[in-house]
Amino acid sequence: LKHRCSRFGSPIGTGPSCLCMVSVVPLSRFSQIGRSTESMIDFVVTDTAGSSGQVGGAVGEGGGQSVQSTISRYACRIMCERSAPYTARIYAAGFDSSKNIFLGERAAKWRTSDGLMDGLTTNGVLVMHPAGEFVSEPAPGVWREISVCGNVFALRETRSAQQRGKLVENESNTLQDGSLIDLCGATLLWRTPPGLRHTPTLKQLECLRQELNAARPQCPVGFNTLAFPSLAQREIVDKKQPWVYVNCGHVHGYHNWGYRKEKGECPMCRRVGPYVPLWLGCEGGLYLDAGPPTHAFCPCGHVCSEKTVAGWSQIPLPHGTHAFHAACPFCGTWLTGEQGHIKLIFQGPVD
């Protein structure tokens, strides 16, 4: 497994991005994921203590744990075949120091028809495979729950219910490009090398940022030139930072007149709504293509390609015990508005 975690978004937790990416390489056959910092866990996962408008969590390499974390200490394990095509399969729970599968006392357990034991983690390991090709026809599939033995079940009534869902016999635990793994507090995105070849690298993202700035977009009111900050300066609002009215998409420089309680009136079209700074999404693995950054998620203002915003806007991510919300993959903010995203309208040559 290769672990990548972006450093963008919430200030809480060891790795503050909403969605973290894991991708397959033929170097390791067996890896475990969980919030325990014991040596048996290869990828330590901590959840982010967000507001009601956030979902997801982050992957880190240790660090402090949430006091009331809902992620299992031994959440899941992923097995990769050593030979091509390096098929990867996911299983709930993991092995502890005594080489036994570790399940909490409240976890659902049962004996199968062939005499073996199977079970679910306390809050469940949910997986959603894309309905089509993730990069060509992004469409959400159906959320399922994975058992200790890798069997696929329909979701329980709630995340921690003792009664398991119905067995889904025609689906498997094989991960594919774009598969989402939810650990009840952290959401992982599985990417394959062929899928990642369609996404921009950090160098390409920097080139896209420079192209935006080279077009010298202007504030239509103050007539000052706007500029997206470098990826290294994210979260630091610069005086040249572009801001957007998320209900209409008109891009401006910052101004405080007409601004009140997270809502402002756009000077161009008079529409009232949130007025937020724009940030270029910096984790290439979350992109669906390497297209120009012309759209932004609402209401957070993360900028990426049209295909990326359209794809993620229709994916429901788990939140709490039984709720699902579409969210920005870069920061976890719940999406708002009719589409969850907006086309950016620049003043100047970019338009």
Side-chain angles (χ1 to χ4, degrees), residues 222-245:
F223 300 108
N224 53 304
T225 300
L226 307 177
F228 282 84
S230 68
L231 300 181
Q233 293 179 323
R234 51 186 177 268
E235 294 185 6
I236 302 175
V237 179
D238 186 83
K239 63 181 180 180
K240 291 185 177 182
Q241 184 107 15
W243 287 60
V244 67
Y245 289 90

Side-chain angles (χ1 to χ4, degrees), residues 88-218:
R89 295 180 175 85
I90 185 171
Y91 303 82
F95 292 96
D96 59 17
S97 57
S98 60
K99 298 182 180 179
N100 292 317
I101 285 291
F102 183 91
L103 285 175
E105 294 181 359
R106 295 181 298 170
K109 312 174 189 69
W110 64 91
R111 189 176 296 276
T112 63
S113 58
D114 53 4
L116 300 177
M117 292 298 298
D118 202 354
L120 307 170
T121 60
T122 302
N123 292 319
V125 175
L126 307 188
V127 172
M128 186 185 74
H129 304 304
E133 291 290 334
F134 187 58
V135 295
S136 60
E137 299 177 3
V142 180
W143 282 101
R144 303 297 192 191
E145 183 165 8
I146 304 298
S147 72
V148 171
C149 295
N151 294 313
V152 181
F153 292 87
L155 301 187
R156 290 178 269 181
E157 185 176 350
T158 63
R159 290 292 291 251
S160 58
Q162 288 294 308
Q163 182 63 40
R164 67 182 184 271
K166 184 179 179 181
L167 178 67
V168 183
E169 297 183 352
N170 62 339
E171 297 182 20
S172 76
N173 62 335
T174 301
L175 296 173
Q176 55 187 280
D177 187 46
S179 291
L180 288 167
I181 306 166
D182 187 80
L183 305 179
C184 195
T187 305
L188 311 180
L189 170 64
W190 182 265
R191 298 305 308 264
T192 61
L196 289 176
R197 283 194 281 270
H198 295 274
T199 64
T201 64
L202 281 176
K203 185 177 180 180
Q204 289 172 322
L205 287 175
E206 176 61 20
C207 289
L208 291 173
R209 185 189 72 87
Q210 292 180 9
E211 289 176 6
L212 282 172
N213 292 344
R216 298 179 61 82
Q218 290 188 333

Side-chain angles (χ1 to χ4, degrees), residues 37-87:
T37 56
E38 298 177 67
S39 59
M40 291 74 65
I41 299 299
D42 302 285
F43 299 93
V44 179
V45 181
T46 60
D47 46 2
T48 299
S51 65
S52 61
Q54 291 183 329
V55 295
V59 177
E61 294 297 335
Q65 303 292 336
S66 177
V67 176
Q68 296 181 336
S69 176
T70 52
I71 301 174
S72 298
R73 284 184 286 169
Y74 298 84
C76 66
R77 61 199 191 279
I78 297 176
M79 297 185 66
C80 297
E81 294 181 356
R82 293 185 182 275
S83 56
Y86 311 113
T87 301

Side-chain angles (χ1 to χ4, degrees), residues 314-339:
Q314 59 181 323
I315 297 177
L317 297 178
H319 175 76
T321 58
H322 56 272
F324 293 84
H325 296 276
C328 171
F330 300 104
C331 68
T333 302
W334 293 0
L335 301 184
T336 59
E338 184 177 341
Q339 296 180 313

